[in-house]
Amino acid sequence: DIQMTQSPSTLSASVGDRVTITCRASQSFSTWLAWYQQKPGKAPKLLIYKASSLESGVPSRFSGSGSGTEFTLTISSLQPDDFATYYCQQYNDYPWTFGQGTKVEIK
Amino acid sequence: QVQLQQSGPGLVKPSQTLSLSCAISGDSVSSNSAAWNWIRQSPSRGLEWLGRTYYRSNWYSDYAVSVKSRITINPDTSKNQFSLQLNSVTPEDTAVYYCVRDLGALAFDYWGQGTLVTVSS
């Protein structure tokens, strides 16, 4: 299985900050990586697919990049609605696997 | 707009079978481009993909090795839904279960509301 490791596990930031979350894979692959946002009691919401493609309706302050074993999710200017937990997920090889999550907290 | 509506019991006894259904609106379980997945989430295991079913001229299913001996995911074309059966459950199967659509390259784009299933006597 491809192991996905996110860093940091928790991130404290202020509204307006630029935030970057990293996801490292145990095996290299090209672009089959997605990012999700999850709020308490809700299902995850797709933000980014194919490493850098923005899902329809997702604000442009979210962006994704990377390939190989290192991928990043960037929020260019953190908004109050963005405080949540973020997960990466690879869909290059079965079984599809997720990172352990990064919680973005209010500083 | 695609919607996935989950149903099923929230409490299952150890050694029994966990059964959940997911009703689809806005798409078809027989779509040639979609696949229909079950994913669970628990504090100890995080987000875990369990398996999927999909139609590509024939019906196919793929399962995670961790549950392969215990899981069945079936389509129901008459009701436009799909189901999860997980046999011989233990307390480790306690989790929130989600049904999810994927369109291949577009990852998991639509999720059900989630069902907390507790395995306890």
Side-chain angles (χ1 to χ4, degrees), chain A residues 6-52:
Chain A
Q6 290 181 231
S7 59
S9 296
T10 307
L11 188 160
S12 296
S14 302
V15 171
D17 284 353
R18 181 181 181 87
V19 165
T20 298
I21 299 169
T22 299
C23 180
R24 289 186 174 86
S26 61
Q27 300 173 35
S28 179
F29 57 90
S30 56
T31 58
W32 304 118
L33 183 109
W35 289 96
Y36 301 87
Q37 176 194 69
Q38 187 177 33
K39 296 183 178 179
K42 299 293 188 182
K45 172 188 173 185
L46 178 65
L47 301 175
I48 302 285
Y49 62 93
K50 272 202 308 186
S52 60

Side-chain angles (χ1 to χ4, degrees), chain A residues 13-21 59-64 73-79 82 86:
Chain A
S14 302
V15 171
D17 284 353
R18 181 181 181 87
V19 165
T20 298
I21 299 169
S60 59
R61 62 181 180 271
F62 291 93
S63 64
L73 173 70
T74 300
I75 309 172
S76 60
S77 177
L78 198 65
Q79 298 302 301
D82 301 338
Y86 294 84

Side-chain angles (χ1 to χ4, degrees), chain B residues 52-64:
Chain B
R52 65 179 192 167
T53 189
Y54 55 99
Y55 184 77
R56 301 289 185 269
S57 302
N58 283 302
W59 286 103
Y60 298 91
S61 295
D62 300 307
Y63 301 126

Side-chain angles (χ1 to χ4, degrees), chain B residues 67-79:
Chain B
V67 294
K68 193 169 186 176
S69 63
R70 302 191 290 131
I71 190 173
T72 304
I73 297 176
N74 281 327
D76 183 340
T77 57
S78 66
K79 295 181 179 178

Side-chain angles (χ1 to χ4, degrees), chain B residues 1-4 23-29 31 36 80 101 110:
Chain B
Q1 177 77 348
V2 175
Q3 291 189 340
L4 303 176
I24 303 163
S25 57
D27 200 347
S28 170
V29 72
S31 164
W36 305 97
N80 199 31
R101 185 184 85 161
Y110 286 97

Side-chain angles (χ1 to χ4, degrees), chain A residues 1 32 34 36 38 41-46 48-50 55 87 89 91 94-99, chain B residues 37 39 41 47-49 52 54 62 64-65 98 102 104-114:
Chain A
D1 299 5
W32 304 118
Y36 301 87
Q38 187 177 33
K42 299 293 188 182
K45 172 188 173 185
L46 178 65
I48 302 285
Y49 62 93
K50 272 202 308 186
E55 172 71 348
Y87 295 93
Q89 177 241 332
Y91 51 113
Y94 283 122
W96 310 150
T97 48
F98 292 83
Chain B
N37 300 259
I39 291 170
Q41 184 174 30
L47 285 160
E48 182 183 15
W49 174 81
R52 65 179 192 167
Y54 55 99
D62 300 307
V65 169
Y98 294 101
D102 85 74
L106 304 187
F108 296 127
D109 60 349
Y110 286 97
W111 295 63
Q113 79 274 22

